[in-house]
Amino acid sequence: WVARQLGLSVGAARTRVRVARALHDHLPRTLEAARSGEVGSEAASTLGRAATSDARRAVLADPEHGCNEAFLLDQARVLAVDDLRAVLRVWSHRADPESDERGFREAAEREHLTLSRLPDGYHLDGMLTVEHGQQLSTALAAVTPVPAASDMRSAAQRRAQALADLARTVLSTTRWVRVA
């Protein structure tokens, strides 16, 4: 119903409903702050995604805990959404490290990389954990120069060159290469 009413995909609608339920059931202060315009909808949604386990919900609801809903709501009032997400990653791990570890294991199980030879090149396909994806993204950014005015390649084409440059750097500094 939500998907049809709002013109969303079913997946996007499920996410909105899940976040709305979390706000309603576990983050009443955040819900009120979003309704009053004290915090933006994206910040409220980000906080709503924090209530993902019983342990995390217990921390959020505990009035004595130093990192409860009130603390996170204060962070949402002063931080940009990307910075709030970074705070929530640390908070989530500390509030429920077991769930965080389980999530990492599940992500690692989905992680894969396929490099397939084609007649005119190679096709690269895969899925990385957040940590591995951030490492690769940072490494690619480090070897991708600012394009010259005459460089008409797309950002994707420059990233492909950066990946080849990373491979060349590793191969030039490695004593031996195992051929598969």
Side-chain angles (χ1 to χ4, degrees):
W1 181 86
V2 171
R4 281 192 310 274
Q5 291 300 110
L6 298 179
L8 300 172
S9 68
V10 172
R14 277 190 192 121
T15 298
R16 284 198 184 186
V17 168
R18 190 171 40 252
V19 168
R21 283 186 181 143
L23 290 170
H24 180 269
D25 296 345
H26 307 292
L27 297 159
R29 291 179 181 175
T30 304
L31 180 59
E32 186 53 40
R35 284 181 175 159
S36 71
E38 223 179 305
V39 297
S41 63
E42 192 173 3
S45 293
T46 299
L47 290 179
R49 289 186 200 97
T52 56
S53 71
D54 290 338
R56 290 176 183 161
R57 288 187 287 271
V59 170
L60 288 166
D62 184 353
E64 302 300 317
H65 199 286
C67 293
N68 59 15
E69 179 189 8
F71 166 79
L72 291 177
L73 187 53
D74 286 342
Q75 300 306 303
R77 288 181 179 115
V78 298
L79 295 175
V81 174
D82 288 335
D83 295 331
L84 179 61
R85 285 189 185 112
V87 167
L88 279 171
R89 277 192 296 275
V90 174
W91 178 89
S92 295
H93 175 70
R94 291 189 178 158
D96 188 3
E98 184 177 307
S99 178
D100 202 40
E101 178 61 30
R102 187 173 52 256
F104 176 78
R105 280 192 313 270
E106 290 169 359
E109 288 171 2
R110 290 190 314 272
E111 188 172 53
H112 66 279
L113 182 66
T114 305
L115 185 61
S116 305
R117 177 76 165 110
L118 302 173
D120 60 343
Y122 280 84
H123 176 78
L124 181 67
D125 182 49
M127 167 70 181
L128 301 175
T129 64
V130 171
E131 178 185 0
H132 293 159
Q134 287 172 338
Q135 289 170 348
L136 180 58
S137 180
T138 300
L140 290 173
V143 298
T144 305
V146 174
S150 61
D151 188 350
M152 296 312 203
R153 295 176 301 166
S154 68
Q157 289 170 321
R158 287 193 303 277
R159 279 191 303 275
Q161 180 63 54
L163 185 58
D165 292 344
L166 281 175
R168 189 176 303 108
T169 299
V170 169
L171 293 173
S172 70
T173 59
T174 302
R175 291 183 182 248
W176 60 275
V177 176
R178 182 174 49 188
V179 178

